Amino acid sequence: MAHRARVAVIGGGISGLTAALRLRQGLGPDAHIDVFDAGDRLGGILHTTEVGGRQVDVGAEAFIVRRPEALELVRELGLGDRVVSPTAMRPAIWSGGGLYPLPAPALMGIPASVESVADLVDSDDLTRMSAEADRELRWRAGTDPSVGDFVADRFGPSVVARSVDPMLGGVYSSLAADIGVREALPALATRLDAGAPSLTTAVNEVIGAGAGASGPVFGTLVGGYRVLVDALVEAASANVRLGGTITGLRHERDSWAIGVDDDPQEYDAVILAVPAQVAAALLASECPGMAGPLAEVSGASSVVVSLALAPATRLPDHSGVLVATGEQLRAKAFTFSSQKWEHLADRCAPVSVRASFGRFGAPVPSELEEPGVDDRLVAEALADLDEVCDAAGVGALSSQITDVVVQRWTGGLPVYAPGHLARMAEVLAGRPRRLALAGSAYGGVGVPACIAQAGRAAAEVLADLG
């Protein structure tokens, strides 16, 4: 009788569940696939919960639709009719106690022209930007400075603080000074490597190259990411094991032994779809060469305060607010979900707003570290929201709050520091047979990038199994 393949997927987020689906498709209905997650639910940072009587996402909120992986997976699972696009409303930047239009055109906050930031940044930096194309650019092909250092040198520090930081902070929960150019802006690095004479030229070339793209940039799902998680679980038909602790990982010729609550179990292959630090701990004894670089990957923590306001509560005429670095507001961003997404705009339903706190280097303390911190965060979210709304002329909204949920994400995002992708490429190249890595640490933090890496991990395991 043919051997019935046994594969373990450690981690039940979008990466682990996608890997489990691809394994099922490759190994067939008879394969034994276990998905382990230490938590009490699947989905990881994709988390939909009830706030004010409606289902809202309190983790990742949207995905890029111009990258194909997420949209293709959604359609493959029969959820294509649930994909919705943002409304025409645009986000604003909070700087100096006021609201400014989000600079456009821009590349992840790096402006393409002086005009796009004329009212937002310091006059000295406007002068610096105007002359940037005439200044010598000392860029060496293959180099990887931080986005913050590079843009500050070419355009000035206020451009970083008021335009680049707010944009990158929403994606990476890190400041531009902590993120590599190649990590966040590979297309820009490619143009500079190819000899672009200035940052202004390179930014405009990248924007111009994508000018022909049509349709929305982002999408989300009616019903929240929960519908995607549920569909993945059903399609993968794996054995889900929640709440257990993986206590060890041992390589034995053509098999892997996993300690599950100190009970060793044998598998033909393993996919680790967990944060880099967790993967490092599991690989420390068997694969120290991989574990070392993984252990050095820092994690950025954040907190989402999801607010429900009384129906028909008026908000500023934006899809959200991104807060510049160095401002007095405690929140780093607000998303006015009921104005950003048409399916949440029902005037008879609660108005949904989410406030985001914390970033790499400035984590929010836990309840153990500061008892009552969640109550403080809610108070700060309301006070900051009132300040933004007062500045926008719509008045304070604290009295309109009907429900609130605080969702903490500890170490939820890897920090894509300069050189990160090169180090992770070396880690992936050094994997032993029948073990593969998936997750947000290897090829991008967004949902499409995680889906893509999970597919590659599953393909590697399938090839190893023959």
Side-chain angles (χ1 to χ4, degrees), residues 278-295:
V278 178
L282 292 173
L283 294 169
S285 61
E286 292 293 317
C287 306
M290 298 175 68
L294 290 172

Side-chain angles (χ1 to χ4, degrees), residues 14-23 25-26 67 69 73 76 232 271 273 436-439 447-463:
I14 181 65
S15 299
L17 294 176
T18 300
L21 172 64
R22 300 308 180 210
L23 290 170
Q25 292 169 333
R67 270 196 71 155
E69 297 90 351
L73 178 62
E76 177 185 343
L232 277 170
I271 293 179
L437 300 174
V447 170
C450 289
I451 291 169
Q453 178 59 28
R456 288 190 289 268
E460 289 169 342
V461 164
L462 291 170

Side-chain angles (χ1 to χ4, degrees), residues 135-159:
R135 290 170 52 212
E136 181 184 2
L137 176 63
R138 294 172 179 165
W139 176 273
R140 181 168 49 87
T143 194
D144 193 16
S146 77
V147 177
D149 289 346
F150 183 56
V151 176
D153 174 63
R154 303 302 299 180
F155 285 175
S158 69
V159 176

Side-chain angles (χ1 to χ4, degrees), residues 72-97:
E72 287 177 354
L73 178 62
V74 166
R75 289 171 174 166
E76 177 185 343
L77 294 169
L79 302 174
D81 60 344
R82 287 181 174 266
V83 178
V84 291
S85 304
T87 66
M89 283 197 174
R90 296 271 296 164
I93 299 287
W94 176 268
S95 177

Side-chain angles (χ1 to χ4, degrees), residues 24 27 42 45 49 70 77 101 136 163 170 225 349 379 397 419 430 436 438 440 443 453:
R24 176 62 66 201
L27 295 172
L42 295 173
I45 204 166
T49 192
L77 294 169
E136 181 184 2
S163 186
Y225 270 123
L397 303 181
S440 59
Q453 178 59 28

